[in-house]
Amino acid sequence: MLFKFSYSIPVELLKECQERFKSGEEKTDGLKVIGRWHEVGKNQGFMLAEADDIMAVGAFTNQWSDLCNMFKTGSCREKSNVRSGLSAHI
């Protein structure tokens, strides 16, 4: 399943959060990170990852809970045959 992890960083914790991220200590065990997008000029962004284990999803978010506000949303991919089937009815 795909997960979108949206985050925001309180300005007073920004430097500490950046230092932790640069340290390479972040654990993504059980997640296949697809990519990260950071909003320029804002302390927020999101990451997309695939995971089969909800415990891995929780472990990832828990490691940042002291520095970031993080929300996760499960998503599913659109199948191309579903899209072509829908377009036939539109």
Side-chain angles (χ1 to χ4, degrees):
M1 180 177 233
L2 281 175
F3 288 90
K4 178 182 179 184
F5 299 86
S6 301
Y7 70 88
S8 64
I9 307 165
V11 69
E12 64 273 10
L13 298 173
L14 182 60
K15 185 173 181 170
E16 188 177 351
C17 191
Q18 289 171 335
E19 291 300 319
R20 182 182 297 173
F21 185 75
K22 288 190 294 186
S23 74
E25 294 177 17
E26 179 185 56
K27 304 232 182 317
T28 57
D29 300 339
L31 301 179
K32 178 183 174 190
V33 177
I34 296 168
R36 298 175 196 251
W37 291 262
H38 310 281
E39 293 187 33
V40 177
K42 296 185 177 183
N43 301 334
Q44 61 189 24
F46 67 95
M47 178 181 90
L48 292 180
E50 288 185 81
D52 294 325
D53 180 6
I54 195 68
M55 297 300 285
V57 171
F60 176 78
T61 57
N62 285 345
Q63 71 184 317
W64 289 104
S65 63
D66 61 325
L67 296 176
C68 301
N69 300 311
M70 191 172 292
F71 303 95
K72 58 191 172 299
T73 306
S75 305
C76 58
R77 290 188 180 171
E78 176 183 290
K79 299 269 186 188
S80 59
N81 59 352
V82 171
R83 174 182 258 178
S84 61
L86 288 175
S87 63
H89 292 60
I90 297 176

